[in-house]
Amino acid sequence: MSGLPPTSSVKRWLVTTNHKDVGILYIVTSLFFLLFGGVLALLIRLQLVQPGTQILADAAYYETVTAHGLLMVFWFLSPFAFGFANYLVPLQIGADDLAFPRLNALSYWMYLLSGLLFGVSFFQSETLSTGWTIYAPLNVPAYTPTPGATAAVLALGMFVVAVTASTINFLTTIHHARAEGMGLMDMPMFTWSILATVWMMLFAFAALLGAVLILASDRVVGSLYFSATEGGALLWGHLFWFFGHPEVYIVFFPALGVMLELFQSFSGNRLVGRKWTIIAIVLIAVQSFLVWMHHMFLTTINLEIKTLMMASTIGISLPFDLLVFALIYTLIKGRIKFKTPFLFAFGALLLFILGGITGVFLGAIVLDYEFRGTYWVVAHFHYVMFGGATALIGGAYYWFPKITGRMYDELLGKIHFVIFFVSFNMVYFSMFMAWETPRRVFQYSQDYVEIHQFGTIGGFLLGFSFLIMFYNFAKSYVSGEVAGDNPWEFTRTAEWAVPSPPPLENWDGRPSYATGRLEFLERGHAADGGEPAAADGGEPGGQASSDRAVSDGGHAHGDEAGDYVLGDKHHSHASIWPFALSLATFVALLGASGVQQSMSFVGGPNSITGVDVVVSNPFYPALMLVGAAAMLYSGVQWGLEDFYAPPAEVASRWPFDGIEKNKLGMWFFLASDVIVFGAFISAAVFIRVNAGWMSWDPLPAEIPGLINTYVLLTSSFTVILALVYSKRQERTKMMASLAATIGLGLTFLSIKGWEWHHEIYDKGITLTQNPHGPPIQSTMYYVTTGLHGIHVILGLIVATFLLVRAYQGHYMHDHRPIEYFGLYWHFVDIVWVFLFPLFYLV
């Protein structure tokens, strides 16, 4: 399927892969989750009108606080920003679309359905009630035993999968599809902020995925990671905050990018210290991974390490000082126009400064002991996260004319800002004043009753301000003044050089900055095309070429289905399989959420193997199996679909010149998977050190593991042979090599299955029982090697798909699918090289 129905059709939004459509879906959906989380926030404020129970019982209040935090941090703030990123980044860098359009659609549907899965968790007895940080051991079934709590954990995992898909897509696009002549240092500041954000996301969210997978194994299959006495709670703290502190900047950086763009557009002045601003952003991105432990000052970590973390925390504030001064000096030297977008951007700067200053208190060990666990932290957190994200609201007003072609109501926009800014400070500054209130608790001193009541009034005013925004946008979309292509006087970025809203294919010609200014050339030609416009200085303009030329000299033409033709190829814009695969994943995870409660194991110490299983409720297991089967079917259909998304003909690709876009995307995926396995291996090492490094003997015998090592290494060799024969166009030998790879992979799984059977039945070592050592040792062995086994199974499914396609005559003239599969398979083999000594030798 490649055609796009009209925007008035529901089908359009189910099948679209166009980056602008996906961006709109992200924006609208994130605003829905803003309302969801906002209603929960108002319930919290009503509970705090008086100390003690008001409208929510104890458990319901804890669930509400947890859900509010998770929804706002994960399902609103970042997705709202990436709605704009989806829409604007390809336009700002001169790309036709994101590098992988179907992957982009998949990331959206995984995001939406993960949020719906989280919503469903409320109806499965109880959802999570741990706080948004999901601290151990509260996160294990002993304390939160319901299917709803498990569904919430799995929803978070599904959300991280969506983030990973989006991250890979943006990294590949920005590094592979920038217009000719646009170097990294020439990119608009909003795109720069997104680039820094997705680099952080690639590693931070991979660490979170590792933590969530470990937690899911505790909840679904009954492992013992975070219920273990050998440092389980501290392990969660390390894994979560290695993600959690970069997440602060992952949320803030897109808002910073909006501020940087809006300060230039509404001051009429170029950003002061642009180069140093970019350097500061890079420094912050790197440093964000080096300060996670300041969230753990109250743990038993020794004072020397805490002191080091305190120094690094204070150090990360220095690049932020540079950013703030760059913004201020840009205004001082400009001619400010106090339009609604600028007011929100400027308000965001003021709020973030206050949030940053109050955060310095928490970076000091002694003060952190006093403030930790109080409303000081809650206030600081909201001033940074929500305060900084205030700029995103300004971005919504700023790009509303571009997305809709209509102007918003300026008076209503300014009224919205005034009510928003005043009520924001009523809510969150009152928390500083009542800072001794314990966080996540509705019991507090009578001295703070009036302050909390004042904050509650502010909370409802804050909610009302968003109703003004929704009314403004809805009214303006229907009957607002026509905006024209560029309603602002001092814009500097390429999205304002195309019509509002932009056409489906973005550009009539090929954007180029080869001359230092934005020009539109005929595709496939190096002639001047149209009136040049400034790349990052002055007002963009220029006329696009009326014909879309391709590299062979033929001309593309649009059709009614929503495709454009490139010679004899169609650039595809639609596919149903991202939605289908996401829906199947939703069904499978919903089923997995209730498996542990639906099945019981009987028959002695070996029952955990599943030999003696009593199914009390077949609904959840059946749902999981149906979802898994649908995932397999959707994945195969995805691979069979004739979907064409050509790379940019001419582009700036430093530092990845000469790297094909699919290979680059695979590299980014494997980089994230390195962190996932790194989380599992680090968890094993951490818990073993806490339990006593030399007190454990290797669980399995080394001979089966050694044989499996040889088997996997040999399978890497056969994959290389398949690639060689594909390049030589020797189909029979290529098929034989792929078949040998599949055979070796099945051999590996067979040996692993025999080994597990031997450990369980002959030695009595199960997932939760180890008569020869600590139970946590067997948990780590089965779960970590199990994760690796799942990777092997996925690889075998792909290899089988490739073998069938090779039999049908494919890959004789395009060997790249074999090469990319080989990269994945080699990675799986390398991981085993690390797991073998960890569990078999040491």
Side-chain angles (χ1 to χ4, degrees):
M1 180 185 295
S2 60
L4 273 182
T7 55
S8 58
S9 168
V10 173
K11 184 179 178 181
R12 161 69 172 255
W13 303 101
L14 291 175
V15 303
T16 185
T17 65
N18 184 266
H19 73 97
K20 295 181 291 296
D21 290 345
V22 174
I24 292 171
L25 288 170
Y26 262 109
I27 293 169
V28 172
T29 305
S30 63
L31 290 174
F32 164 76
F33 286 117
L34 168 66
L35 291 175
F36 189 174
V39 169
L40 296 178
L42 295 181
L43 289 176
I44 295 170
R45 291 310 319 178
L46 287 174
Q47 188 83 348
L48 294 174
V49 168
Q50 291 285 343
T53 302
Q54 303 299 319
I55 62 171
L56 297 172
D58 294 8
Y61 180 79
Y62 302 140
E63 291 175 51
T64 301
V65 170
T66 301
H68 166 73
L70 288 170
L71 285 168
M72 289 302 200
V73 171
F74 293 106
W75 279 277
F76 166 59
L77 287 171
S78 286
F80 187 46
F82 272 81
F84 296 115
N86 265 274
Y87 200 101
L88 297 163
V89 165
L91 290 168
Q92 289 195 341
I93 65 174
D96 292 330
D97 205 321
L98 288 175
F100 308 111
R102 286 188 297 178
L103 196 64
N104 193 30
L106 179 73
S107 72
Y108 167 73
W109 290 114
M110 285 283 189
Y111 156 62
L112 170 62
L113 290 168
S114 68
L116 295 182
L117 180 59
F118 186 83
V120 169
S121 71
F122 280 88
F123 301 95
Q124 294 176 278
S125 185
E126 297 177 1
T127 188
L128 271 179
S129 56
T130 59
W132 82 274
T133 51
I134 321 177
Y135 278 141
L138 293 177
N139 56 15
V140 301
Y143 295 95
T144 48
T146 64
T150 303
V153 171
L154 295 176
L156 183 57
M158 188 176 179
F159 172 82
V160 177
V161 171
V163 168
T164 302
S166 180
T167 298
I168 293 168
N169 217 345
F170 275 96
L171 283 170
T172 305
T173 302
I174 295 174
H175 283 299
H176 198 269
R178 301 190 308 277
E180 178 187 21
M182 178 179 278
L184 285 177
M185 296 298 289
D186 302 319
M187 294 192 308
M189 293 309 301
F190 179 70
T191 297
W192 244 112
S193 72
I194 296 299
L195 178 61
T197 299
V198 291
W199 269 113
M200 288 190 290
M201 289 167 65
L202 184 69
F203 302 111
F205 274 94
L208 179 62
L209 181 59
V212 171
L213 288 175
I214 293 172
L215 178 57
S217 75
D218 278 9
R219 301 195 61 90
V220 176
V221 301
S223 58
L224 304 173
Y225 273 94
F226 299 123
S227 58
T229 58
E230 295 89 358
L234 197 58
L235 171 64
W236 174 264
H238 282 296
L239 291 174
F240 182 84
W241 286 116
F242 187 78
F243 149 80
H245 197 77
E247 169 67 0
V248 174
Y249 308 114
I250 287 168
V251 168
F252 178 71
F253 269 15
L256 173 66
V258 173
M259 279 191 272
L260 292 167
E261 294 287 0
L262 268 58
F263 275 45
Q264 293 180 93
S265 293
F266 292 98
S267 70
N269 188 47
R270 285 189 57 127
L271 178 66
V272 173
R274 188 178 193 275
K275 178 179 73 173
W276 292 104
T277 298
I278 293 172
I279 292 173
I281 289 173
V282 174
L283 286 175
I284 293 166
V286 173
Q287 285 181 267
S288 68
F289 288 94
L290 305 177
V291 299
W292 82 92
M293 214 177 295
H294 75 237
H295 294 274
M296 304 168 66
F297 281 163
L298 270 63
T299 65
T300 56
I301 297 170
N302 68 63
L303 183 59
E304 289 77 12
I305 295 179
K306 290 179 182 178
T307 303
L308 178 63
M309 285 291 161
M310 180 179 70
S312 62
T313 300
I314 295 172
I316 203 172
S317 66
L318 300 179
F320 271 113
D321 296 340
L322 191 153
L323 294 176
V324 170
F325 283 118
L327 289 167
I328 292 172
Y329 277 111
T330 300
L331 295 184
I332 290 174
K333 294 190 175 183
R335 302 182 301 277
I336 302 173
K337 295 183 179 295
F338 290 94
K339 299 291 187 180
T340 299
F342 173 77
L343 292 175
F344 276 98
F346 185 66
L349 177 62
L350 298 179
L351 296 174
F352 179 77
I353 289 174
L354 183 55
I357 292 173
T358 55
V360 173
F361 288 75
L362 297 171
I365 297 173
V366 175
L367 292 176
D368 187 75
Y369 270 75
E370 184 70 19
F371 289 127
R372 181 65 63 188
T374 71
Y375 262 50
W376 182 280
V377 177
V378 180
H380 155 73
F381 186 79
H382 282 85
Y383 267 95
V384 171
M385 301 285 273
F386 194 22
T390 300
L392 296 176
I393 302 172
Y397 280 101
Y398 180 63
W399 283 300
F400 181 83
K402 177 54 57 181
I403 295 173
T404 66
R406 302 276 184 173
M407 280 301 295
Y408 62 87
D409 187 301
E410 184 68 37
L411 177 60
L412 284 178
K414 289 180 176 177
I415 293 173
H416 173 207
F417 169 74
V418 171
I419 298 176
F420 172 90
F421 193 79
V422 172
S423 60
F424 183 103
N425 286 284
M426 288 176 65
V427 180
Y428 301 118
F429 197 81
S430 67
M431 294 181 182
F432 284 126
M433 299 173 66
W435 70 269
E436 289 184 291
T437 304
R439 64 189 303 193
R440 305 193 187 107
V441 175
F442 50 78
Q443 296 285 359
Y444 58 88
S445 171
Q446 286 287 341
D447 296 338
Y448 298 133
V449 170
E450 292 181 355
I451 296 176
H452 281 298
Q453 290 175 346
F454 181 75
T456 297
I457 294 171
F460 277 87
L461 283 174
L462 185 61
F464 174 71
S465 74
F466 281 101
L467 296 181
I468 297 175
M469 181 186 77
F470 292 137
Y471 172 77
N472 192 352
F473 286 163
K475 174 178 175 292
S476 301
Y477 178 75
V478 173
S479 59
E481 177 187 350
V482 175
D485 295 346
N486 184 6
W488 312 118
E489 185 176 357
F490 298 116
T491 55
R492 301 171 180 274
T493 49
E495 73 268 26
W496 301 107
V498 296
S500 300
L504 185 69
E505 300 85 15
N506 290 353
W507 321 100
D508 286 332
R510 175 173 66 82
S512 173
Y513 292 92
T515 63
R517 298 173 66 82
L518 175 60
E519 299 176 315
F520 293 102
L521 312 179
E522 285 195 41
R523 293 180 183 267
H525 293 76
D528 292 338
E531 179 184 347
D536 196 9
E539 180 178 348
Q543 302 296 319
S545 171
S546 59
D547 293 322
R548 184 178 294 104
V550 292
S551 56
D552 64 358
H555 289 277
H557 61 275
D559 62 26
E560 294 181 356
D563 296 342
Y564 60 85
V565 182
L566 296 172
D568 60 350
K569 298 287 282 185
H570 291 261
H571 189 138
S572 303
H573 290 291
S575 172
I576 193 61
W577 298 114
F579 171 71
L581 181 57
S582 301
L583 183 61
T585 305
F586 169 85
V587 172
L589 293 181
L590 181 59
S593 68
V595 164
Q596 194 174 55
Q597 288 77 14
S598 303
M599 303 171 67
S600 57
F601 304 96
V602 298
N606 296 329
S607 61
I608 196 66
T609 64
V611 175
D612 304 312
V613 180
V614 176
V615 180
S616 58
N617 180 1
F619 173 74
Y620 282 112
L623 204 62
M624 183 176 67
L625 293 176
V626 169
M631 289 173 67
L632 178 61
Y633 177 78
S634 300
V636 171
Q637 292 301 317
W638 178 307
L640 292 174
E641 185 177 42
D642 184 17
F643 190 93
Y644 187 59
E649 303 169 62
V650 180
S652 297
R653 295 186 171 119
W654 187 89
F656 299 106
D657 297 295
I659 306 299
E660 199 270 333
K661 74 168 184 176
N662 291 316
K663 180 186 287 188
L664 187 59
M666 178 60 75
W667 282 3
F668 288 134
F669 164 71
L670 294 180
S672 70
D673 217 12
V674 167
I675 302 299
V676 172
F677 272 106
F680 276 78
I681 294 172
S682 299
V685 173
F686 178 84
I687 289 181
R688 184 165 181 180
V689 169
N690 275 271
W693 180 260
M694 302 306 295
S695 64
W696 292 5
D697 293 322
L699 276 180
E702 69 232 19
I703 298 302
L706 184 61
I707 294 173
N708 258 348
T709 303
Y710 286 128
V711 167
L712 275 189
L713 292 177
T714 304
S715 71
S716 275
F717 177 69
T718 58
V719 170
I720 294 173
L721 288 179
L723 178 60
V724 171
Y725 291 132
S726 175
K727 291 180 178 179
R728 294 179 180 177
Q729 300 185 19
E730 298 182 35
R731 185 164 70 96
T732 302
K733 292 181 179 180
M734 178 185 68
M735 291 173 56
S737 298
L738 284 173
T741 302
I742 295 171
L744 289 167
L746 292 173
T747 301
F748 173 88
L749 292 177
S750 298
I751 294 174
K752 177 57 64 179
W754 174 88
E755 179 183 287
W756 279 21
H757 184 276
H758 173 70
E759 295 297 313
I760 293 165
Y761 283 92
D762 298 335
K763 297 172 65 176
I765 299 173
T766 67
L767 183 67
T768 58
Q769 300 293 328
N770 179 13
H772 309 291
I776 183 63
Q777 183 183 12
S778 56
T779 273
M780 293 190 304
Y781 163 68
Y782 285 115
V783 173
T784 307
T785 58
L787 177 68
H788 179 265
I790 291 172
H791 277 70
V792 173
I793 292 170
L794 292 175
L796 290 177
I797 292 172
V798 174
T800 303
F801 177 86
L802 293 174
L803 179 60
V804 173
R805 297 281 282 173
Y807 176 77
Q808 296 171 342
H810 296 272
Y811 314 131
M812 289 295 95
H813 301 287
D814 185 4
H815 63 270
R816 291 174 297 175
I818 306 292
E819 181 182 2
Y820 306 147
F821 165 71
L823 291 174
Y824 171 83
W825 195 254
H826 299 325
F827 168 76
V828 172
D829 295 352
I830 291 170
V831 169
W832 181 255
V833 171
F834 284 90
L835 298 186
F836 173 62
L838 181 65
F839 292 111
Y840 293 81
L841 300 179
V842 181

